[in-house]
Amino acid sequence: MDITNFFKLSEGNWLCQKTFYDLSEQKYKSLKDELSIKKENMNMNDLKLISFDQQNHISYSCKWKQSQNKQSNIIINTKKNYIYTYNNKSISSIKEYKIENNKLTICSKRNNLFITETILFLNPNLRLATIIVKNKFESLFISFSSEIKLNNKN
């Protein structure tokens, strides 16, 4: 599966059960949420700071229902393996990705923290996701979620 097919399969509404675990405080929190992933038709030339080759990029919006309607807008560079997050036509983060089989791994660095997010399709209607946040010495935070597709376009 390539990145284009991965996101095409991700389009739709997902019911998510998430568990967050703070290793330093030994506390956890669980919640249910709904995620909506939708392909966007965006003119890449409208974005500031980076010039985009329109042909090698796809754009999506990811909106969480319970998390104060938090929305992420992303652009996937299908040639250079980067995912850009943007707000108000400006790039807010750049993350590297790799995809193999049905698994997408996204890596980023923020301040002195290393963040690895993995999303795995078990079948077209079921995904598992993990996030691990580390500093250079140890893991600080772990998140696990299961996601069930509510509307199947297939």
Side-chain angles (χ1 to χ4, degrees), residues 62-77:
C62 306
K63 188 172 184 178
W64 294 97
K65 186 175 184 178
Q66 300 298 323
S67 304
Q68 292 99 14
N69 283 325
K70 181 180 175 188
Q71 181 169 329
S72 295
N73 297 302
I74 60 172
I75 297 171
I76 299 106
N77 179 318

Side-chain angles (χ1 to χ4, degrees), residues 142-153:
I142 298 170
S143 169
F144 172 80
S145 69
S146 59
E147 305 170 352
I148 298 171
K149 198 167 203 175
L150 296 175
N151 60 339
N152 188 358
K153 292 183 178 182

